[in-house]
């Protein structure tokens, strides 16, 4: 059959040489519509479809970005309001961040994407990892996430929400630090600059202890505890990101949207169970009913506050997963950090936090570190694109060479 195809192609070529006008007339016919107007109608339709799909994709990305920024800000403010209006339970504040994960389950109905997720690893074996390895990854990361959320709850209960958010921006620096050891991240000048600037941005807030805030009145000791817990929580979040990247490269043999969704769902499931154990083991569950009665704005407000906090955290998760699906995990993390400086501005409006000179300096340093880190990611993406194009070209050339050899042998 291959021989017949080659012969037919050659004979067709001979006919074309004898009748050069055939192709010209055929092309003219293709480029003329029923009104006699020139134009390649199929190409125009194909281009219109591609433009429509491109616009729909960017619309989805915009929706996901807005979801991340709005939900993250709202969830943080609702968490602070819970403590400001009379809430005391750190474990309940942790549970609210995790318990809404079932809202992600409908995402499994999304058709499998053809998009490949790069893990910076050459894949030699595409077999499913053994259950023991998967369980170890999910349980380890889930326990770290539970501890991380608890530390954030302690920090949010003792610190003004603006200070809390500014310190949390250091998660980028911790992510780069852990990735240096776990994922062989190269320390470029922009990464080093981001590390130094974000560290200074957090450290200078230590000197903010004596400044009272309208949203929280705590002792110096509790302020220091909140500061340490928030820094530790940011470090834990950076560690989770680095370990997740390591797991994608070393444990999972192929990375797609389902694998990413599995990672998030099972992490949250383990973290939720661990938080429930902490809630009951600590005895805090005994005081929840009295806490609800003593809540300053009433029982209904208490329930609504916690419910909307849980929902907004999962809207944030949906937006993050959507950005991973449409763009990349790096872009999702960058958008997450971009939303942190928004919270201090909202805290001034809703909680009347004071933005003194140190906080303003910390805010600008956080933005500087964020831009430095983002620019390095942009350079990495730009440099990787020519490599992908070259590899694709080499693959096409090799395939063409093989097909030519097969045709020559058959002929």
């Amino acid at each position: 059959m291959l021989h017949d195809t080659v012969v037919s192609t050659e004979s067709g070529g001979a006919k074309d040489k004898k009748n050069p006008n055939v192709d010209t007339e055929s092309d003219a016919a293709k480029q003329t519509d029923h009104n006699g107007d020139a134009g390649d109608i199929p190409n125009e339709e194909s281009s219109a479809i591609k433009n429509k799909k491109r616009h729909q994709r960017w619309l989805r990305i915009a929706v996901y970005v807005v979801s991340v920024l709005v939900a993250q800000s709202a969830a943080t403010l609702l968490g602070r309001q819970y403590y400001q209006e009379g809430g005391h339970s750190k474990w309940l504040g942790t549970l609210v961040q995790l318990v809404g994960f079932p809202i992600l389950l409908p995402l499994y109905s999304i058709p499998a994407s053809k998009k490949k997720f790069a893990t910076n690893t050459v894949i030699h074996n595409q077999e499913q990892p053994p259950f023991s390895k998967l369980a170890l990854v999910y349980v380890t990361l889930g326990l770290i996430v539970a501890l991380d959320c608890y530390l954030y709850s302690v920090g949010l209960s003792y610190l003004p929400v603006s200070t809390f958010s500014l310190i949390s921006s250091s998660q980028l620096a911790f992510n780069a630090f852990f990735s240096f050891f776990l994922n062989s991240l190269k320390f470029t000048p922009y990464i080093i600059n981001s590390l130094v600037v974000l560290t200074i941005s957090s450290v200078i807030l230590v000197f903010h202890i004596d400044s009272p805030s309208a949203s929280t009145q705590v002792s110096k000791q509790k302020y220091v505890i909140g500061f340490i817990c928030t820094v530790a929580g940011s470090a834990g979040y950076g560690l989770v990101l680095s370990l997740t990247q390591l797991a994608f490269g070393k444990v999972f043999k192929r990375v797609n949207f389902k694998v990413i969704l599995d990672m998030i769902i099972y992490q949250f499931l383990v973290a939720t169970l661990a938080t429930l154990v902490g809630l009951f083991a600590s005895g805090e569950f005994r005081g929840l009913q009295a806490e609800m009665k003593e809540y300053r704005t009433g029982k209904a407000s208490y329930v609504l506050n916690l419910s909307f906090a849980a929902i907004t955290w999962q809207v944030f998760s949906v937006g993050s997963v959507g950005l991973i699906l449409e763009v990349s995990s790096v872009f999702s993390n960058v958008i997450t950090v971009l939303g942190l400086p928004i919270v201090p501005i909202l805290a001034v409006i809703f909680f009347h936090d004071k933005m003194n000179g140190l906080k303003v300096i910390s805010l600008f340093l956080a933005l500087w570190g964020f831009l430095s880190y983002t620019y390095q990611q942009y350079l990495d993406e730009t440099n990787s694109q020519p490599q992908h194009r070259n590899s694709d070209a080499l693959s096409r050339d090799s395939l063409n060479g093989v097909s030519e050899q097969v045709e020559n042998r058959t002929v």
Side-chain angles (χ1 to χ4, degrees):
M1 293 296 294
L2 181 59
H3 175 72
D4 293 338
T5 303
V6 175
V7 171
S8 299
T9 304
E10 291 177 350
S11 62
K15 292 178 182 178
D16 293 342
K17 290 179 182 179
K18 293 178 182 179
N19 301 301
N21 295 329
V22 172
D23 285 343
T24 305
E25 293 174 0
S26 177
D27 292 339
K30 290 181 180 179
Q31 296 176 355
T32 305
D33 59 13
H34 63 279
N35 292 326
D37 297 327
D40 196 342
I41 299 175
N43 287 340
E44 289 181 357
E45 292 179 353
S46 177
S47 177
I49 293 174
K50 288 181 179 180
N51 289 333
K52 183 179 180 180
K53 290 183 177 180
R54 188 182 300 112
H55 293 157
Q56 290 176 346
R57 176 175 178 267
W58 280 109
L59 178 61
R60 290 194 300 269
I61 292 175
V63 171
Y64 292 143
V65 168
V66 172
S67 298
V68 169
L69 296 179
V70 174
Q72 179 180 232
S73 302
T76 304
L77 294 176
L78 287 171
R80 178 58 227 167
Q81 186 182 23
Y82 163 73
Y83 293 111
Q84 181 177 327
E85 299 299 332
H88 303 290
S89 176
K90 311 298 187 300
W91 285 109
L92 183 59
T94 303
L95 186 63
V96 165
Q97 301 177 48
L98 304 166
V99 74
F101 72 90
I103 199 175
L104 299 177
L105 294 178
L107 294 180
Y108 278 111
S109 62
I110 296 178
S113 174
K114 297 180 180 180
K115 180 179 178 180
K116 297 179 180 179
F117 295 87
T119 58
N120 299 324
T121 306
V122 179
I123 299 176
H124 298 290
N125 185 7
Q126 293 190 356
E127 295 180 358
Q128 180 73 11
F131 174 78
S132 58
K133 282 189 176 181
L134 292 177
L136 179 62
V137 169
Y138 295 143
V139 171
T140 301
L141 291 177
L143 293 177
I144 297 176
V145 167
L147 176 61
D148 179 53
C149 291
Y150 179 79
L151 292 171
Y152 273 140
S153 294
V154 175
L156 191 58
S157 65
Y158 291 153
L159 296 178
V161 66
S162 55
T163 305
F164 169 83
S165 299
L166 290 172
I167 298 174
S168 298
S169 63
S170 62
Q171 68 189 42
L172 266 180
F174 285 111
N175 185 18
F177 175 79
F178 288 118
S179 294
F180 174 78
F181 294 100
L182 298 176
N183 303 306
S184 302
L185 176 68
K186 294 182 180 179
F187 272 4
T188 64
Y190 293 107
I191 294 293
I192 296 175
N193 178 72
S194 177
L195 284 169
V196 173
V197 170
L198 288 172
T199 301
I200 296 174
S201 172
S202 298
V203 169
I204 63 174
L205 292 176
V206 175
F207 303 100
H208 187 62
I209 296 178
D210 292 329
S211 180
S213 171
S215 66
T216 180
Q217 296 290 341
V218 297
S219 63
K220 292 182 180 180
Q221 182 180 3
K222 288 185 176 180
Y223 185 98
V224 173
I225 292 174
F227 181 89
I228 294 174
C229 288
T230 305
V231 172
S234 299
Y237 186 77
L239 178 61
V240 167
L241 292 177
S242 299
L243 288 175
T244 301
Q245 182 180 350
L246 181 66
F248 282 152
K250 300 297 184 182
V251 178
F252 297 93
K253 305 306 179 183
R254 53 181 180 178
V255 180
N256 52 34
F257 180 63
K258 182 182 179 300
V259 171
I260 295 173
L261 196 56
D262 285 343
M263 178 71 79
I264 296 173
I265 295 273
Y266 291 128
Q267 273 186 34
F268 275 38
L269 175 61
V270 173
T272 299
L273 294 176
T275 303
L276 286 173
V277 171
L279 178 64
F280 286 95
S282 64
E284 286 188 359
F285 74 96
R286 297 188 184 94
L288 295 182
Q289 187 172 0
E291 181 181 273
M292 183 186 300
K293 292 179 180 179
E294 297 172 0
Y295 201 67
R296 294 190 184 96
T297 53
K299 294 181 180 180
S301 178
Y302 180 86
V303 174
L304 289 174
N305 184 296
L306 295 177
S307 300
F308 279 111
I311 292 172
T312 50
W313 275 123
Q314 296 314 309
V315 170
F316 166 79
S317 298
V318 171
S320 299
V321 174
L323 290 177
I324 293 173
L325 175 64
E326 295 291 344
V327 190
S328 68
S329 59
V330 173
F331 184 78
S332 179
N333 186 30
V334 167
I335 295 299
T336 300
V337 177
L338 176 62
L340 292 175
I342 298 176
V343 178
I345 300 174
L346 296 177
V348 174
I349 299 174
F350 293 103
F351 293 105
H352 308 291
D353 279 7
K354 295 182 179 179
M355 286 293 288
N356 61 7
L358 285 178
K359 282 190 178 181
V360 173
I361 294 173
S362 177
L363 177 61
F364 278 108
L365 289 175
L367 290 173
W368 182 7
F370 162 78
L371 292 174
S372 180
Y373 186 93
T374 306
Y375 185 68
Q376 181 60 54
Q377 295 297 327
Y378 167 76
L379 292 178
D380 293 341
E381 291 290 334
T382 304
N383 293 333
S384 65
Q385 288 177 359
Q387 296 177 1
H388 290 309
R389 285 196 294 266
N390 292 337
S391 63
D392 291 342
L394 290 174
S395 300
R396 287 194 299 269
D397 291 341
S398 61
L399 289 174
N400 291 336
V402 171
S403 61
E404 289 178 358
Q405 291 177 4
V406 172
E407 290 180 358
N408 291 334
R409 290 177 183 178
T410 308
V411 174

